[in-house]
């Protein structure tokens, strides 16, 4: 799995993959009491939350690379999943921390290979103009 130039372990779990509905719907009542429904296909805005969930440990060196990406405003990145699907994404800062990293064991000055449990919050956006 790749996020921009950072290689991630293929065992990250996309925990909200099936919570997305590609169709937006608005409902309202007219003055006559009739139900008015409008639907349309959503173009972007699909959340992609990737979690370790105990299945993968990420070394501190990768966490630091993710920090660099996270700290660039409006950074559109390519996300390529292990099954070959790819999305243009940015960090989703509206639903909590965009990057969470917790060491498996506490250590004051961990080495670059120290393992972390990582969660990433991303959201799909339009691909950058060519």
């Amino acid at each position: 799995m790749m996020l921009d130039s950072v290689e991630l372990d293929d065992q990250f779990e996309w925990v909200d993959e099936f919570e997305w509905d590609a169709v937006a719907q608005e409902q309202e009542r007219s003055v006559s009491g009739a139900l008015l429904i409008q639907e349309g296909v959503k173009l972007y805005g699909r959340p992609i939350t990737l979690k370790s969930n105990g299945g993968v440990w990420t070394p501190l060196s990768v966490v630091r690379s993710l920090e660099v990406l996270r700290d660039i405003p409006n950074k559109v990145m390519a996300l390529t999943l292990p099954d070959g699907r790819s999305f243009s994404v940015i960090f989703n800062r509206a639903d909590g921390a965009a990057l969470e990293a917790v060491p498996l064991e506490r250590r004051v000055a961990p080495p670059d290979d120290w393992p972390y449990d990582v969660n990433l919050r991303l959201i799909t956006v339009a691909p950058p103009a060519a």
Side-chain angles (χ1 to χ4, degrees):
M1 181 180 307
M2 290 291 294
L3 177 61
D4 199 61
S5 60
V6 178
E7 187 170 351
L8 301 173
D9 193 288
D10 287 347
Q11 295 303 310
F12 271 94
E13 181 182 6
W14 181 359
V15 295
D16 49 6
E17 179 175 6
F18 300 107
E19 295 171 19
W20 169 256
D21 190 338
V23 177
Q25 183 183 78
E26 297 260 341
Q27 298 181 9
E28 64 178 276
R29 294 276 174 191
S30 73
V31 224
S32 69
L35 178 62
L36 304 174
I37 299 174
Q38 292 184 12
E39 290 188 334
V41 176
K42 299 175 191 174
L43 299 179
Y44 306 104
R46 183 179 190 171
I48 298 178
T49 306
L50 302 174
K51 292 192 173 191
S52 297
N53 280 343
V56 58
W57 298 337
T58 303
L60 177 58
S61 60
V62 173
V63 173
R64 295 281 185 227
S65 296
L66 291 169
E67 268 187 315
V68 169
L69 290 177
R70 180 207 56 201
D71 294 342
I72 302 171
N74 301 309
K75 171 77 171 156
V76 178
M77 303 166 287
L79 171 67
T80 305
L81 300 177
D83 63 8
R85 289 181 292 166
S86 62
F87 301 90
S88 291
V89 298
I90 62 172
F91 280 101
N92 185 354
R93 304 168 199 282
D95 291 335
L99 167 65
E100 297 173 326
V102 178
L104 294 184
E105 292 181 29
R106 184 184 180 283
R107 187 163 182 184
V108 174
D112 282 347
D113 63 348
W114 199 251
Y116 280 72
D117 189 51
V118 170
N119 297 329
L120 296 168
R121 286 185 182 84
L122 306 168
I123 192 164
T124 61
V125 294

